Amino acid sequence: MARAQPTSESMDEEDLRPADEAILDVLTEGRGSGKPWGRATKGMLVDETGYSRNTVYNRLEVLQAAGHIDVKHESTRMFEFVTDPRKDA
């Protein structure tokens, strides 16, 4: 049976898939370092995570719908970190 896509009310740590965690890892890399962090294009996320463009696109849509990331520049698909549903984050 297919798993329902989480909504902004229901996505938490247990709903995350490995691709979601990899995307969040890339977006939170460098946090606390004093250097810019929290933004990446879809292409960069594909390169950094090793997941296919289709998988990254689909998971970005889910993370965005849940309010964990936001699109900052539509034509380049630049995403920005908003919140991390992981308890240890």
Side-chain angles (χ1 to χ4, degrees):
M1 174 180 269
R3 190 170 160 189
Q5 292 296 318
T7 64
S8 60
E9 293 85 32
S10 67
M11 187 174 201
D12 57 24
E13 187 172 19
E14 291 79 34
D15 296 316
L16 294 176
R17 295 183 180 173
D20 300 330
E21 294 207 33
I23 290 167
L24 290 169
D25 287 345
V26 171
L27 289 172
T28 58
E29 188 175 307
R31 181 165 55 178
S33 69
K35 296 180 182 178
W37 64 276
R39 288 187 176 185
T41 63
K42 182 174 79 171
M44 180 182 172
L45 291 166
V46 168
D47 291 345
E48 293 288 321
T49 65
Y51 285 97
S52 71
R53 292 185 75 75
N54 191 47
T55 296
V56 170
Y57 173 80
N58 290 333
R59 301 319 300 167
L60 287 170
E61 294 294 312
V62 171
L63 289 166
Q64 182 183 8
H68 297 298
I69 62 171
D70 193 22
V71 177
K72 284 301 175 194
H73 192 256
E74 186 64 45
S75 64
T76 61
R77 298 300 286 168
M78 171 73 73
F79 290 87
E80 183 174 63
F81 173 82
V82 176
T83 65
D84 198 327
R86 300 174 290 188
K87 289 180 176 74
D88 297 334

